[in-house]
Amino acid sequence: MDPQLPLTGWQMSVREIKRSAVLNESVSMHMYQVDAFTDRLFARNPAAVLVLDEWLPDDLMLAITQENNLAETAFVKARSDGAWDLRWFAPAHEVNFCGHATLATAHVLLTETNAEAPLVFHTRVGALRVTQGPHGYRLDIPRLPPEPLETLPAEIARVFDNPPVGIFRNFENIFADLGSADAVRSFVPDLASIARLGSVGLVVTGQEADNGRAHFVSRYFAPGAGIPEDPVTGSIHATLVPYWVERLGRERLMAYQASARGGWLDCELTEDRVFLVGNAVTFMKATVSLPNGAV
C-alpha cells in the first residue's frame, strides 16, 4: 500500500497500533464476518476478515482467530502492484490454503472498499484470483491432482466401517472415496483418531445417485487444526474436482458438501486450474478491542 494514501475506516496501521501501545492507550480495529458460498445469512461457511496495511505479529493474528472461534480468519493487505497478500489462520495454526475465506475476503474488498475485480491474492499456494459474474464470485484456484495411496495412514486405518473404494491425498489432506453419497452422509467421524494426523485433514467423498442434483458429495474433518467439521471447503475441491472429472468424464460438475450447514459448489476444471462459483453475504462488522500491551 502506498504510505501516502490515507487508510480507510476499516483499516488500521500497525504503526498506529504500536504508537498506541507506547502511549499506553487501548487499540481498536474493525473486522468483518462473512458467510461464504451462500446468498443468504446463517448458511454455509463463516469467515472473519481483517484488512491491514501491515502484518500484525503472528501470535496476535492467531489470538484473534482463536477468539473468533471460526474455522478461518483471513488477514489481507494491499501490495504496491495492485494485488493483495493474503494469509489464513485456523484456531490451531496458520493454514496453507483456504477457499471460503478467500471468497469472504474478496466480498469484503469489493463491497466495503474501493477495490475492483478482478482481484489477485498472493498466498502460500500461489496466486488466487476472484472475478465477478452473473451467478456470483468466480474463484480461481490451483489444480492439485490426487496422489494415489496404497494404504491409509495408521492413525485413521480403523475409522471406516467398510474399506474405502479409493484413497488418495494432496499436500495437506487425505481423501477417501466411500463409494456413495449415502455413505458420506452417514459417516460418523472418529475425531480423536483423525486429530492424530496433526495438521493433515480427512476428506470423505462419494458419487451422488443418478437422480441427485450434485454429481458428488464430500465432508471435511480437520480436528488437528481446530476444525472438527468444516461446513463448506473450497480448497479440498482443488483435488476433488480433478478426481471426479476423471471418474465421471465431464469437466463441469456440481458438488455438495454434506455438513450440517451444507453447501453447493459449481465446479469447472481446466488444464491447471479449478474454478468454483459462489456468493457471499456480510453478517457482521465488529470492532476488535486490543488491550494495552497486546502488540
Side-chain angles (χ1 to χ4, degrees), residues 225-257:
I227 308 168
E229 180 170 2
D230 201 33
V232 189
T233 315
S235 61
I236 62 174
H237 290 81
T239 297
L240 285 171
V241 173
Y243 175 78
W244 285 109
V245 163
E246 183 176 354
R247 290 286 307 274
L248 302 178
R250 53 188 302 160
E251 295 180 352
R252 292 289 299 271
L253 297 169
M254 182 62 72
Y256 183 71
Q257 194 154 334

Side-chain angles (χ1 to χ4, degrees), residues 30-281:
H30 293 283
M31 179 177 68
Y32 297 86
Q33 185 171 319
V34 174
D35 289 337
F37 289 113
T38 181
D39 57 4
R40 59 185 175 88
L41 286 176
F42 313 122
R44 313 316 182 221
N45 207 353
V49 179
L50 288 90
V51 184
L52 308 172
D53 76 315
E54 296 180 54
W55 295 126
L56 299 171
D58 287 6
D59 58 349
L60 179 55
M61 290 192 283
L62 181 60
I64 291 171
T65 301
Q66 292 170 340
E67 191 71 15
N68 290 334
N69 200 30
L70 299 172
E72 263 87 20
T73 295
F75 299 85
V76 63
K77 72 178 187 72
R79 294 162 54 104
S80 60
D81 60 3
W84 301 82
D85 287 318
L86 178 60
R87 296 170 67 181
W88 313 282
F89 283 75
H93 52 71
E94 185 171 5
V95 299
N96 293 317
F97 190 13
C98 181
H100 87 277
T102 302
L103 191 66
T105 301
H107 173 73
V108 167
L109 293 176
L110 293 172
T111 59
E112 303 290 346
T113 78
N114 293 325
E116 296 181 354
L119 297 172
V120 179
F121 297 106
H122 292 271
T123 75
R124 287 186 170 187
V125 291
L128 309 181
R129 295 172 177 83
V130 179
T131 56
Q132 285 182 290
H135 303 294
Y137 301 111
R138 191 168 189 251
L139 178 59
D140 173 353
I141 62 177
R143 172 178 177 162
L144 302 176
E147 304 169 12
L149 288 174
E150 293 186 1
T151 59
L152 286 165
E155 295 87 347
I156 58 171
R158 298 183 179 181
V159 302
F160 301 105
D161 292 335
N162 298 300
V165 300
I167 53 175
F168 49 100
R169 69 167 301 151
N170 63 18
F171 76 99
E172 63 175 357
N173 293 305
I174 305 295
F175 296 76
D177 182 350
L178 303 188
S180 71
D182 287 343
V184 172
R185 292 188 174 94
S186 63
F187 177 68
V188 179
D190 180 346
L191 294 177
S193 294
I194 299 169
R196 297 189 187 103
L197 293 171
S199 61
V200 175
L202 173 65
V203 181
V204 295
T205 188
Q207 184 175 345
E208 183 59 282
D210 290 341
N211 60 349
R213 175 185 170 190
H215 295 100
F216 68 92
V217 303
S218 65
R219 293 171 68 191
Y220 179 45
F221 311 96
I227 308 168
E229 180 170 2
D230 201 33
V232 189
T233 315
S235 61
I236 62 174
H237 290 81
T239 297
L240 285 171
V241 173
Y243 175 78
W244 285 109
V245 163
E246 183 176 354
R247 290 286 307 274
L248 302 178
R250 53 188 302 160
E251 295 180 352
R252 292 289 299 271
L253 297 169
M254 182 62 72
Y256 183 71
Q257 194 154 334
S259 65
R261 287 169 70 106
W264 296 94
L265 299 95
D266 187 350
C267 311
E268 181 182 356
L269 182 69
T270 66
E271 184 176 347
D272 60 352
R273 308 297 290 181
V274 171
F275 294 92
L276 308 175
V277 175
N279 287 289
V281 182

